[in-house]
Amino acid sequence: MKANGHGGDVYFASRELGRDVERLIDFSASINPLGPSSQVWKALSKARIALQHYPDPACRDLRQVLAMRWHCSPEEIVVGNGSTELIHVLPSALDIRNLLIVGPTFSEYASAMSLVGGRVTTICAERHQGYRPPLEGVVALLSRRKRTYRDIGAVLLCNPNSPTGQACDAESVLDLARLAQRRGLWLVVDETFADYCEERSILPKRSLFSRVVVLRSFTKFYGLPGLRVGYAVAAPAVVERLRSRMPPWSVNAMGQVAAVAALNDAAYVGRSLSFMRNERARFIARLARLPGCNVFPSQANFVLVELPHRWGASAVAEKLRPEGLLIRDCSSVSGLNTHSIRVAVRTRRENDRLVTALSKLLVHR
């Protein structure tokens, strides 16, 4: 059995390398290095009785807290088993036959379309523009009269984008939402990483549009990948269409409890933002000093790095792996090149260890 293509499969690496998971440093998955909020641990301890019952299938408490957070109705929120479950529900729920994806980006969007026999059209950011999301190009493409483009039923934008770390400003995304609304298209905005740059989020103004779906997750910022909690904010009728295609008890009881506790810990949010702001800048500066490397700015908790031409991403990933350092090989991501890797921003000590290992590798070939 092969490792999955998303990164974060520490169990596969553990078996392959004969190392305990605790002895691996996973830069391939961009999870908050501070770990979950202390309030999450307290809430989980108190909620042990919940293991003796089925979870709330409607996630009522969590939806109520999220509704207060975003100043909307609980009927505008659907919670899923991570945002990935919602990504896979969207094509059938919204009857999307041809999806326009703004790339280079997460492969799961195209995979979800493939599973329902749908088509994908891609417009990619350009390297020479620093992978700035090409929203102007999206608008121009949707205005063309060729049959291929007339058949597009939805646009999917990851903002901030993974794996490039680039983000569109909120007003540009709202302009795209206005175009989608006029054209009768769906706009799906994956804001999984937007907790790190809330000024780029369109959630505060999502209710202006009936054909916009915004995805969020508790995996990255809140450090809860093992509990699988994500959600979508959309018009009530859209939420009902999504929910009708999801299995019962999709979100476990502990996941719901943890998510509520995380949302209520404002101090944790402040610490996480401050840490990321400072450590990301320091990490980027150190990576940029590596010989021959090109490091792109990021609005998220990871960094896209282009290795020297003599080094392929796959080769570097394999060289680092025996040291227990796992990085994301992006050489197969459409729109990037064979020298592209993505590395999460982890603790200062761990980040320094990766930079040291890369330096030895790149210099002493």
Side-chain angles (χ1 to χ4, degrees):
M1 182 181 291
K2 294 182 179 180
N4 70 64
H6 300 313
D9 193 348
V10 292
Y11 307 104
F12 180 88
S14 173
R15 288 173 173 79
E16 178 191 50
L17 299 172
R19 285 178 177 237
D20 291 339
V21 169
E22 291 77 12
R23 295 181 57 224
L24 300 173
I25 304 179
D26 188 13
F27 289 90
S28 71
S30 47
I31 311 301
N32 190 334
L34 301 186
S37 156
S38 61
Q39 298 304 311
V40 166
W41 297 116
K42 292 177 183 178
L44 290 176
S45 179
K46 293 179 180 178
R48 285 176 293 181
I49 189 66
L51 295 177
Q52 300 177 37
H53 303 282
Y54 282 98
D56 176 2
C59 302
R60 293 174 181 85
D61 289 345
L62 177 53
R63 286 169 53 230
Q64 186 64 50
V65 175
L66 285 168
M68 293 174 63
R69 167 73 176 83
W70 296 116
H71 306 288
C72 66
S73 162
E75 280 67 45
E76 294 177 88
I77 298 169
V78 57
V79 183
N81 190 255
S83 59
T84 301
E85 180 180 40
L86 296 164
I87 289 168
H88 279 266
V89 166
L90 280 165
S92 59
L94 303 184
D95 193 28
I96 301 171
R97 309 290 179 83
N98 187 355
L99 175 66
L100 174 60
I101 298 176
V102 183
T105 195
F106 188 37
S107 63
E108 207 63 35
Y109 310 134
S111 296
M113 288 297 293
S114 176
L115 289 173
V116 297
R119 290 187 292 130
V120 166
T121 302
T122 304
I123 180 167
C124 277
E126 299 290 342
R127 179 188 178 279
H128 71 272
Q129 294 181 337
Y131 294 113
R132 181 176 62 84
L135 293 196
E136 303 93 337
V138 173
V139 171
L141 188 149
L142 292 176
S143 301
R144 295 179 187 175
R145 298 190 176 187
K146 290 184 179 179
R147 180 174 178 79
T148 302
Y149 305 126
R150 290 205 311 270
D151 289 346
I152 289 172
V155 179
L156 196 147
L157 172 70
C158 183
N159 191 46
N161 181 59
S162 175
T164 67
Q166 305 305 300
C168 306
D169 63 86
E171 195 53 46
S172 295
V173 181
L174 290 170
D175 285 342
L176 183 58
R178 293 181 184 98
L179 174 62
Q181 193 80 14
R182 291 196 302 270
R183 294 285 307 276
L185 308 176
W186 296 103
L187 174 62
V188 180
V189 185
D190 187 346
E191 292 191 349
T192 295
F193 297 98
D195 297 276
Y196 287 105
C197 54
E198 287 290 6
E199 72 279 2
R200 307 294 183 113
S201 172
I202 65 165
L203 261 180
K205 296 186 177 181
R206 190 225 55 81
S207 60
L208 298 174
F209 309 98
S210 61
R211 299 187 70 85
V212 170
V213 179
V214 179
L215 300 173
R216 285 281 183 129
S217 172
F218 286 87
T219 294
K220 313 297 185 181
F221 184 85
Y222 292 102
L224 300 174
L227 289 176
R228 311 308 305 130
V229 186
Y231 63 98
V233 184
V238 176
V239 163
E240 193 52 43
R241 289 168 70 172
L242 294 172
R243 187 179 290 126
S244 69
R245 286 164 174 78
M246 294 166 64
W249 306 297
S250 176
V251 184
N252 70 77
M254 290 307 193
Q256 295 181 41
V257 167
V260 169
L263 284 168
N264 286 329
D265 191 349
Y268 171 84
V269 171
R271 286 195 304 273
S272 297
L273 289 173
S274 177
F275 172 86
M276 187 54 57
R277 193 163 44 244
N278 295 325
E279 183 57 23
R280 181 177 58 204
R282 192 192 73 88
F283 189 34
I284 286 176
R286 290 212 63 192
L287 289 168
R289 289 196 289 269
L290 291 172
C293 287
N294 187 20
V295 183
F296 295 89
S298 175
Q299 295 288 330
N301 59 337
F302 55 82
V303 183
L304 180 69
V305 180
E306 195 174 80
L307 298 165
H309 285 295
R310 67 181 183 278
W311 279 105
S314 298
V316 169
E318 286 306 309
K319 291 284 187 180
L320 293 174
R321 203 170 174 84
E323 299 184 46
L325 302 173
L326 311 180
I327 64 172
R328 185 74 172 270
D329 173 4
C330 293
S331 58
S332 62
V333 176
S334 179
L336 296 181
N337 58 46
T338 57
H339 309 286
S340 303
I341 63 172
R342 193 195 76 176
V343 291
V345 180
R346 294 186 59 88
T347 66
R348 184 185 181 103
R349 180 185 64 81
E350 291 169 334
N351 294 335
D352 286 346
R353 181 173 167 185
L354 176 64
V355 171
T356 299
L358 280 170
S359 179
K360 290 178 180 178
L361 184 61
L362 299 178
V363 174
H364 306 292
R365 183 175 180 180

